[in-house]
Amino acid sequence: MSEGSKGSSLAFGQVVIGPPGSGKTTYCHGMQEFMGRLGRKVTVVNLDPANETMPYQCSVDVAELITLPDVMDSLKLGPNGGLIYCMEYLEANFDWLQDKLAAFRGHYYLFDCPGQVELYTHHDALKNIFAQLVKWNFRLAAVHLVDSHYCTDPGKFISVLCTSLSTMLHVELPHVNVLSKMDLIEQYGKLAFNLDYYTEVLDLSYLVDHLASDPFFRNYRRLNEKLVEVIEDYSLVSFVPLNVQDKQSMRQVMQAVDKANGYSFGDQEHRNLEALMSAAVGADFHFTSTLAVQERYVQSQDKAVEEEVMDL
């Protein structure tokens, strides 16, 4: 089969990436169910050779080709080196993946990827796999999940911003950054600023000033200022808040991704004008989504204060 004939028709999908514990597998499960109820035929592809428990219906599993435990045992590698080897092996055997995906033509693809950050910021194997899929007419968007609890620590949030920016520049796909587990954010402490400050990545000088109040970070103010300058100079990073349990939140993320990979304007699904406009006006639904999450967050904080007053 020639390279041109392998991708004769368009295929849309998401590559779900992010650090360990950010909720990638849970997201794939939730998005598979959510899109399925909308009438989309969704195929979930597990590209994580260390993923042993999958709550979703998995149509293609890289474990059929290679698994991390086998690599670690046979080559005496650690988990990080083993994952890199697995991705290089998948890249070298890309025809296996192509043949598996060919059985689901006309479907919407969700690629559940490994959680090793180096794979998205330094190493080229996954990047090359994504690029090959794009050459074969896959219209993909990278969905980068970040645990929302990092917002409660200014130092960690700057680190998240740097990682997100590095990932966007390295992966080279249309990109949607997502703050996951928003329903749990209040468990990690009170935010220093309103939620939209973090989702829209507003004036980061306030974050540097807030860090300077900490005796430890005061010595690194100049470093933090330079890191913030890099992030603001590129002006690429922003976030969509997500609570997988909330249908409205899932809809907002889905619309952002549809806009990024072009699915809203494809010919696989007949959309009415209202749905088309809601996907096209990105700032409006993003702002509405942030407001809804912010309102719930503020209400939970107010309730906690009331309970403290009652106890007194």
Side-chain angles (χ1 to χ4, degrees):
M1 183 182 293
S2 66
E3 183 169 311
S5 62
K6 286 182 180 179
S8 57
S9 61
L10 289 178
F12 293 90
Q14 309 174 22
V15 292
V16 184
I17 61 180
S22 57
K24 296 183 295 298
T25 298
T26 302
Y27 172 87
C28 289
H29 184 207
M31 191 58 74
Q32 181 186 42
E33 290 187 347
F34 185 76
M35 289 184 171
R37 292 175 183 176
L38 296 180
R40 297 191 192 182
K41 295 183 291 184
V42 180
T43 293
V44 181
V45 181
N46 176 44
L47 294 185
D48 185 357
N51 198 351
E52 297 178 350
T53 57
M54 292 170 285
Y56 49 73
Q57 181 181 352
C58 182
S59 301
V60 180
D61 189 357
V62 72
E64 297 176 15
L65 177 69
I66 191 170
T67 65
L68 180 61
D70 289 344
V71 169
M72 293 173 63
D73 290 341
S74 60
L75 299 180
K76 307 304 178 185
L77 294 172
N80 289 342
L83 267 176
I84 290 176
Y85 180 89
C86 288
M87 292 301 100
E88 291 176 343
Y89 189 83
L90 176 60
E91 181 187 4
N93 294 274
F94 190 79
D95 286 345
W96 172 87
L97 179 61
Q98 177 63 26
D99 291 339
K100 290 289 185 179
L101 297 179
F104 302 96
R105 290 188 181 277
H107 287 216
Y108 188 100
Y109 296 88
L110 296 174
F111 294 90
D112 187 4
C113 299
Q116 188 176 356
V117 175
E118 292 87 343
L119 293 172
Y120 315 117
T121 59
H122 298 85
H123 201 259
D124 286 336
L126 264 181
K127 172 186 175 181
N128 293 338
I129 291 171
F130 298 157
Q132 187 62 58
L133 287 170
V134 170
K135 288 181 181 178
W136 288 347
N137 276 343
F138 279 77
R139 297 297 181 260
L140 302 174
V143 180
H144 183 221
L145 298 183
V146 176
D147 198 318
S148 61
H149 87 264
Y150 290 120
C151 295
T152 61
D153 188 319
K156 290 180 180 178
F157 186 65
I158 290 179
S159 176
V160 162
L161 292 173
C162 292
T163 303
S164 299
L165 177 59
S166 178
T167 300
M168 295 176 75
L169 297 176
H170 184 74
V171 172
E172 296 180 345
L173 284 175
H175 211 90
V176 177
N177 292 304
V178 175
L179 285 176
S180 63
K181 306 179 186 178
M182 289 302 303
D183 52 319
L184 304 177
I185 189 171
E186 65 269 13
Q187 296 183 7
Y188 298 98
K190 189 175 181 179
L191 298 179
F193 307 99
N194 289 336
L195 185 62
D196 60 348
Y197 176 85
Y198 300 93
T199 57
E200 301 296 338
V201 189
L202 302 177
D203 189 349
L204 294 178
S205 62
Y206 292 103
L207 203 63
V208 175
D209 291 339
H210 186 77
L211 272 175
S213 63
D214 188 313
F216 175 80
F217 287 106
R218 189 179 302 142
N219 298 327
Y220 300 96
R221 182 185 180 99
R222 185 63 176 163
L223 173 62
N224 289 324
E225 287 176 347
K226 288 301 180 182
L227 290 175
V228 163
E229 285 180 13
V230 172
I231 296 165
E232 292 183 331
D233 285 347
Y234 276 96
S235 190
L236 291 175
V237 184
S238 63
F239 296 93
V240 181
L242 171 66
N243 173 9
V244 175
Q245 307 300 325
D246 183 43
K247 293 180 181 178
Q248 175 68 10
S249 179
M250 289 290 286
R251 183 179 71 88
Q252 308 298 351
V253 173
M254 183 191 71
Q255 287 179 317
V257 177
D258 283 351
K259 181 184 176 184
N261 66 14
Y263 183 87
S264 302
F265 310 102
D267 58 359
Q268 294 187 2
E269 185 175 286
H270 295 289
R271 288 178 168 269
N272 58 33
L273 181 60
E274 180 181 355
L276 180 64
M277 291 302 295
S278 67
V281 188
D284 288 349
F285 72 71
H286 190 158
F287 181 69
T288 303
S289 168
T290 304
L291 274 182
V293 177
Q294 172 72 13
E295 183 178 354
R296 285 193 289 271
Y297 174 76
V298 171
Q299 287 175 350
S300 67
Q301 293 294 321
D302 291 343
K303 184 178 179 181
V305 171
E306 290 177 2
E307 290 177 352
E308 291 180 2
V309 172
M310 292 296 293
D311 291 340
L312 293 176

